[in-house]
Amino acid sequence: MAVGDIGRVMVQPVSELHDIQGILYSGYGTLGEASFLLLRVKDRGEAKEWLAAIVEEPNAEKLSYSVTSIADLKSDDHKLHRTLQVAFTAPGLRNLGLQEEVLHAFSREFYFGMAGKDAEEEGRPRRLGDVDESAPTKWEWGAPNHEPDVLVMLYAEHGALAAFQQMVIADLALGFEILDTLRAADAPENNDDQVRREPFGFIDGISQPAIDWKGERIVGIREDLEYGNLIATGEFLLGYPNEYGFYTSRPVLDPVQDPKDILRRAEDDRTRRDLGRNGTYLVFRQLEQNVPGFWQFVSKQSPEDEGVSLAEAMVGRRLSTGDPLVPASAPNTRGVGPEAIDIRQNGFTFDSDPEGLTCPFGSHIRRANPRTGDMPGGRQGFLSWILRMLGLKHDGPREDLISSSRLHRIVRRGRPYGDLIEPQAARRDDVHHNKSGIYFIALNANIARQFEFIQTAWIMNAKFNGMSGETDPLVGNRAACPVGKATDSFVLPQPNGLNRRIAGLPQFITLRGGAYFFLPSIRALRFFAQPGDRG
């Protein structure tokens, strides 16, 4: 039932923009309000009728809204005032009647879920760092027996979300019950630059990969030796070649399982119908941030500037502007596109800072995206490449511990939530602060190789980049290593070689819920909406 990795193919431009949900192209930054509905299917027939209506199936009930596609976003005639996007967990597709053999053709991570609801998968939370207060048993939603079936993402202009949400909830009430409603923080009004800050106060969403919509990316060439921001479409959309030049495994069907001919033929097997094409996997995690704890800690460690320099070192960017601590070097940024802000903030590598003196090795941006090419350190000429290939050239002990960044990129579409306070207010001992954090949303075609690799090999790895005793200074859980060594440190390399080690970092971020979803194409939504069991 699954097709994948059977041969290299020629890359083509993405032409089916009408079939792809718009969130892959845009985070809907111009729509200042957002909420996320976590639903359970209570009546399969009624649920399917609502799905048919939001994709405007013939003879379906007409609604005043529908799922927004990329083509809608790019249309000159389409001014967006509100939008709706839909994704499903594996139990959700099962409750809609998708047969088990088809479900097994989805990725293993999606099938068993973020909480690992199986004896063979129970180690997933530990590998992701979801332990202690972040363990599934402590989650507010997403744990076994409390997992949603459907995620409905609502976005609207300022002042319009409440009425839109009320309308949608009324329309879907016969088919679904609401497990939870997650309200994002409103974006500042009159924000022409669309700058959005996360609760710690830093500008969020700056560094994004550029998706190769035009089919320009050619994999397996010498350009791969250096870092580039243009990434193959198949890293983010199923049914397209990925950075290996192959198709990622996904569910495909026998034509008899699609009697109405809704789905397209699979590009890599024309005898099958492609249920995955133009869809992707969506990772949703509710990350609660201890804002007072963060700013009070860094202020005590670096009182000379109220902790700003230490906070910037932990993040890797300037608090005021979002600029990286290392200077822009304008690497291979061909096709940066609308996802990135500008070259100044996103066009850099860490090659100019091999000792971590400007941006510490353990900083968040250096862990989340080391900005490496196929050969660590970037291309240094043909002779250097030959010497590396022959094993005659070696860099420092750190270099071989990080794989090529282009194989592990994600598109982020999260939003902050809760009451946002300024760092100055958060520093006060008597500050009263309600819960706040990030609704982290990531899109990727391969959960294991993209999101989970970043989380386990880079974010939570206490030995990342040759370090010892520290995990990500923001997201790290501070749990001891298996050998009992603490991971609550953050090291600031110094020019004299005597590093400054800050110990006793508290856990600043706690996971309060999460799940893996499948974000289907518009065609796949129509397929799921058909009466009866599917597949």
Side-chain angles (χ1 to χ4, degrees), residues 279-325:
T280 189
Y281 292 109
L282 185 149
V283 178
F284 195 116
R285 287 163 73 83
Q286 182 178 340
L287 303 174
E288 184 179 302
Q289 299 177 229
N290 182 358
V291 179
F294 176 78
W295 280 108
Q296 290 169 18
F297 179 84
V298 296
S299 297
K300 290 177 182 177
Q301 296 293 329
S302 298
E304 65 277 2
D305 62 356
E306 296 185 301
V308 171
S309 60
L310 178 56
E312 291 178 338
M314 288 180 172
V315 174
R317 291 187 180 273
R318 301 296 179 192
L319 177 64
S320 58
T321 63
D323 291 352
L325 299 185

Side-chain angles (χ1 to χ4, degrees), residues 327-358:
S329 55
N332 177 17
T333 51
R334 181 167 54 103
V336 164
E339 293 89 350
I341 290 182
D342 57 29
I343 296 297
R344 177 175 57 87
Q345 292 183 314
N346 201 31
F348 66 94
T349 69
F350 299 107
D351 294 352
S352 63
D353 187 30
E355 303 300 323
L357 298 176
T358 304

Side-chain angles (χ1 to χ4, degrees), residues 222-282:
R222 287 186 60 202
E223 283 187 5
D224 294 347
L225 299 183
E226 62 185 16
Y227 172 75
N229 201 47
L230 184 68
I231 307 296
T233 308
E235 293 293 299
F236 312 105
L237 270 182
L238 295 167
Y240 297 83
N242 57 27
E243 278 291 330
Y244 291 96
F246 301 124
Y247 288 88
T248 300
S249 296
R250 64 206 184 279
V252 295
L253 309 178
D254 188 287
V256 300
Q257 297 171 295
D258 181 25
K260 292 191 176 181
D261 199 23
I262 296 172
L263 305 174
R264 269 197 55 158
R265 295 179 184 272
E267 292 289 336
D268 44 349
D269 185 348
R270 304 296 291 175
T271 68
R272 314 285 285 181
R273 304 293 183 181
D274 199 335
L275 182 59
R277 184 177 175 86
N278 293 327
T280 189
Y281 292 109
L282 185 149

